Amino acid sequence: MTSWSIERMISAQTPTPDLPRQVPQELWNYARAFVRLTRPSIRFFWRDGNTWLDVQLTRDSPGSFQVGAQDRVRVRIRQTEMPRGITVRELDVLTLVALGLTNSGISARLGTSARTVSSQLERLLEKLDQSSRGGLAAIAVDLGLLRLPFPGGSPEVGGIGVAELELAVHQRNDLQLRSIRDDYSAPAPIKLGIVFADDTGGDSDQMLNGAMLAIDEINRQGGIGGRPIVGVRATVQIFDWQSVKAGLEHLIDEDVDAIITSYVSAEHPQFLDVIADYGKPFLHTATFEADVLRTEQEPWRYGMVFQTCASETYYGTGMIRLVTSLEDQVLWQPRNRRVVCVEMPSASMELQTPSFIESSEAAGWEVAATISTPVGETDWTETVREIAEHGPDVVMIANFIETELIEFQRAFRKDPFPALVYCIYSPSIPSYLRELGPLADGVIWSTTTGTYDDELGRRFRQQYVEKYSEDPGWSQAGAVYDQVRMLAAAWSSVDSRNVDDVVEYLRRWPYRGVNGIYYFGESGQVPRLYPDTTNDAALSQAHLVYQIQNHEHVLLHPEPFGNIAAFQMPPWMTPQD
């Protein structure tokens, strides 16, 4: 007989036809009922004909910040053999011993004699190397050597997991049985505040999912010294300060131990003042150099603020570095060495920085005046015509709302001109490729915080897909996943209640995440960026530049991460047959 195993995530509402058929339908009912219990996991054995199934159920809660979301259970089932030659009836006896029944109580449930039960117990003591029934009960619970359905029918009391699960399956909650777990004084959780903007596009969901994935993983591993992390969400409108302020006040009222977010903070200068007054660690991915300078100039006030990616000032110089590499390797040649910058009005994004102008001029490039494209108000067809009038070799466009960038590309492909399209960040969001399809081929894009396509990055992406059944994208999900993991590393090493120690740990000790290495140094508030601020690729995040080719993201730059020779001339610049 060929053995098999499966792993599946389900909720109480998952329909039976969608579930693997080699598993008995009744067993799926037990898995669904498990989500109503308060325990984090349970293990038991199930008899299917002549075969034993080893069943492990693990809670996969969405966390307190996802109001109305369904709790789910991770179901692992594998075909197995019973250890030490334990028989079906002996496992029945072992299960009832673990519940605390006497020999006569067990015999009454199983329809055998007390003498038979006594003989079975003697054999179990020998097989499991125990000297007492208390030892049998302990090892049964510890190893999950327990059987479901519960031997002899539904029990009258709970206590152990299999008994509580049997009661839940048969809707016996009317007995109002209190589990001792409900009276157990668990360690106080660590509260993590999450500022979630629900009006910024698909990356908002990726950000929240990335945080949730990290929280669930840490909690399954025992939390922080036995203390679970609880996510507390504040849903805000990113451009509405009153909404953002109310969200922050909610998190402060909840007395969260730290706050994380994407780029919400950069749109409101008051945001950091609220954080500074609160005094707890704050991690964000707003690529905003003005806030970095502000925090580093007044460390006594803003020292708990960490921007977990490099700033927007490096996007322009990174673009010049790329096109220079393309020229040097004769992969592409400009016509008139002119760049047009297109960007949304935003406090956190300014492409035409002094360093960009300086590096452009040094490389012999002319930078035209920036074209502003307000969100929801831009006529992209007209904007493409305006860009074309400048005769650029490169169109550098920044808009972190991916739907806007999608509309630009559609308009551009309808009336293209021979220029490279170089985007900032947004093509990392899965909906960009999904919506544009072949129209996205040829686009170049970059990010100062991108998920590496290495062993850690691939494992993260696989875990994300398993949990959410969708692609995590190439930036925000990994970035916020890393934020949670960085905080967890600090909380595990120092007293989480001592903010100064947590902040010092974050700053002094490098953290290797799925988006690279975060190292802030003794006084920094932003990680080092390779190759812009350091030549040490082993102590920094890489400024990643991709090109979309045949519906895939191909990493071009920098070495040793990318390969500039993989560049392909965009289809709108290639002669058509």
Side-chain angles (χ1 to χ4, degrees):
M1 180 180 62
T2 303
S3 62
W4 53 266
S5 65
I6 65 167
E7 181 171 335
R8 183 68 183 269
M9 191 82 73
I10 71 169
S11 71
Q13 286 72 41
T14 301
T16 299
D18 294 344
L19 299 172
R21 299 194 176 189
Q22 69 264 45
V23 176
Q25 179 177 341
E26 186 183 4
L27 178 50
W28 289 120
N29 294 336
Y30 280 76
R32 292 190 189 94
F34 174 76
V35 300
R36 300 201 296 271
L37 303 184
T38 59
R39 61 181 59 243
S41 63
I42 190 172
R43 182 182 182 183
F44 58 88
F45 287 83
W46 185 282
R47 188 71 172 174
D48 182 25
N50 296 320
T51 302
W52 282 112
L53 303 180
D54 181 358
V55 183
Q56 297 180 60
L57 308 177
T58 305
R59 176 172 296 281
D60 196 81
S61 171
S64 61
F65 50 85
Q66 286 196 307
V67 179
Q70 295 179 357
D71 280 357
R72 300 188 300 174
V73 54
R74 186 182 297 274
V75 184
R76 294 184 178 92
I77 303 173
R78 67 182 180 90
Q79 221 172 21
T80 189
E81 298 291 336
M82 188 57 58
R84 303 283 178 93
I86 296 173
T87 67
V88 174
R89 185 56 84 188
E90 286 170 350
L91 189 61
D92 288 342
V93 171
L94 192 57
T95 302
L96 296 174
V97 167
L99 190 62
L101 270 63
T102 64
N103 286 11
S104 60
I106 295 173
S107 65
R109 271 191 160 268
L110 300 181
T112 60
S113 68
R115 183 181 180 86
T116 299
V117 172
S118 178
S119 298
Q120 291 164 335
L121 282 172
E122 289 178 6
R123 289 197 294 271
L124 283 167
L125 290 169
E126 181 179 354
K127 289 179 178 181
L128 297 177
D129 297 323
Q130 298 299 309
S131 59
S132 67
R133 65 190 302 131
L136 287 177
I139 199 170
V141 173
D142 184 48
L143 299 180
L145 285 171
L146 305 162
R147 185 184 181 186
L148 284 177
F150 205 80
S154 182
E156 294 302 322
V157 294
I160 63 173
V162 290
E164 290 180 5
L165 183 54
E166 190 74 46
L167 291 171
V169 167
H170 296 288
Q171 302 292 323
R172 295 289 302 281
N173 297 329
D174 58 301
L175 297 178
Q176 296 183 341
L177 302 172
R178 269 184 74 82
S179 169
I180 190 172
R181 297 176 64 87
D182 296 333
D183 298 318
Y184 178 73
S185 180
I190 294 176
K191 293 184 179 180
L192 178 60
I194 303 173
V195 181
F196 170 74
D198 66 354
D199 59 342
T200 57
D203 59 350
S204 291
D205 291 334
Q206 293 160 24
M207 172 260 185
L208 189 61
N209 290 344
M212 171 183 162
L213 179 61
I215 289 172
D216 287 348
E217 288 176 352
I218 293 165
N219 288 341
R220 282 200 299 271
Q221 296 163 354
I224 308 298
R227 300 173 64 193
I229 299 178
V230 174
V232 183
R233 184 177 71 176
T235 302
V236 303
Q237 304 293 305
I238 190 171
F239 298 112
D240 182 348
W241 168 242
Q242 292 305 315
S243 171
V244 173
K245 181 182 178 184
L248 286 174
E249 290 172 346
H250 167 64
L251 298 181
I252 292 170
D253 289 343
E254 289 286 335
D255 194 26
V256 297
D257 295 278
I259 298 174
I260 62 173
T261 192
S262 55
Y263 39 78
V264 178
S265 57
E267 297 300 322
H268 307 284
Q270 313 96 310
F271 194 110
L272 293 191
D273 288 318
V274 176
I275 292 293
D277 291 340
Y278 185 49
K280 301 291 182 69
F282 172 56
L283 279 62
H284 66 90
T285 57
T287 55
F288 193 24
E289 184 68 9
D291 276 352
V292 173
L293 296 175
R294 182 179 173 189
T295 57
E296 293 182 349
Q297 289 168 359
E298 299 183 62
W300 56 87
R301 177 159 175 77
Y302 302 109
M304 77 294 295
V305 175
F306 292 90
Q307 179 176 300
T308 60
C309 60
S311 301
E312 84 284 1
T313 54
Y314 301 104
Y315 279 123
T317 54
M319 185 275 292
I320 294 296
R321 183 169 56 242
L322 177 80
V323 296
T324 299
S325 296
L326 292 175
E327 284 188 86
D328 290 345
Q329 298 200 29
V330 198
L331 297 170
W332 166 80
Q333 293 297 318
R335 295 170 298 133
N336 51 31
R337 310 187 72 79
R338 184 173 298 125
V339 178
V340 171
C341 294
V342 182
E343 57 186 296
M344 62 184 286
S346 169
S348 61
M349 186 65 70
E350 181 182 357
L351 295 180
Q352 287 209 38
T353 62
S355 60
F356 174 43
I357 300 298
E358 181 180 344
S359 62
S360 299
E361 292 176 350
W365 283 82
E366 172 192 350
V367 180
T370 296
I371 297 175
S372 180
T373 54
V375 176
E377 302 175 14
T378 299
D379 181 336
W380 287 106
T381 299
E382 183 59 35
T383 298
V384 168
R385 292 196 187 106
E386 183 181 354
I387 298 170
E389 291 174 359
H390 292 275
D393 291 299
V394 179
V395 179
M396 187 174 179
I397 179 167
N399 196 311
F400 56 73
I401 308 297
E402 82 273 16
T403 53
E404 297 284 309
L405 211 59
I406 290 169
E407 290 307 310
F408 160 78
Q409 187 65 12
R410 283 175 173 155
F412 176 76
R413 291 300 299 269
K414 286 181 179 178
D415 191 15
F417 46 87
L420 298 179
V421 173
Y422 191 102
C423 301
I424 306 303
Y425 167 69
S426 285
S428 70
I429 304 170
S431 59
Y432 184 84
L433 276 186
R434 188 170 60 245
E435 294 294 324
L436 284 173
L439 294 180
D441 284 347
V443 168
I444 300 171
W445 66 274
S446 73
T447 179
T448 59
T449 179
T451 304
Y452 285 15
D453 190 19
D454 58 8
E455 183 177 350
L456 289 183
R458 287 190 290 271
R459 183 174 64 188
F460 160 75
R461 294 175 64 80
Q462 179 182 355
Q463 291 168 335
Y464 188 103
V465 171
E466 288 177 357
K467 188 174 182 66
Y468 303 111
S469 300
E470 61 184 26
D471 193 307
W474 287 94
S475 179
Q476 202 63 229
V480 181
Y481 176 89
D482 284 347
Q483 288 178 357
V484 178
R485 284 289 188 175
M486 270 191 288
L487 284 167
W491 289 330
S492 297
S493 302
V494 301
D495 186 349
S496 63
R497 295 163 295 187
N498 190 320
V499 174
D500 290 341
D501 286 351
V502 172
V503 167
E504 182 179 9
Y505 185 94
L506 289 171
R507 184 178 292 115
R508 294 188 66 180
W509 298 106
Y511 175 78
R512 174 55 158 99
V514 300
N515 278 28
I517 296 172
Y518 301 78
Y519 179 59
F520 299 95
E522 293 292 335
S523 60
Q525 305 298 126
V526 65
R528 297 176 180 180
L529 182 67
Y530 173 81
D532 298 84
T533 65
T534 180
N535 291 322
D536 189 352
L539 204 61
S540 56
Q541 289 179 290
H543 186 168
L544 302 177
V545 182
Y546 296 84
Q547 185 180 37
I548 299 174
Q549 301 174 4
N550 299 318
H551 215 66
E552 298 287 341
H553 298 279
V554 177
L555 187 56
L556 301 181
H557 209 262
E559 295 182 346
F561 303 94
N563 177 19
I564 193 70
F567 169 81
Q568 293 181 1
M569 197 67 72
W572 60 86
M573 297 172 64
T574 304
Q576 301 297 312
D577 294 333

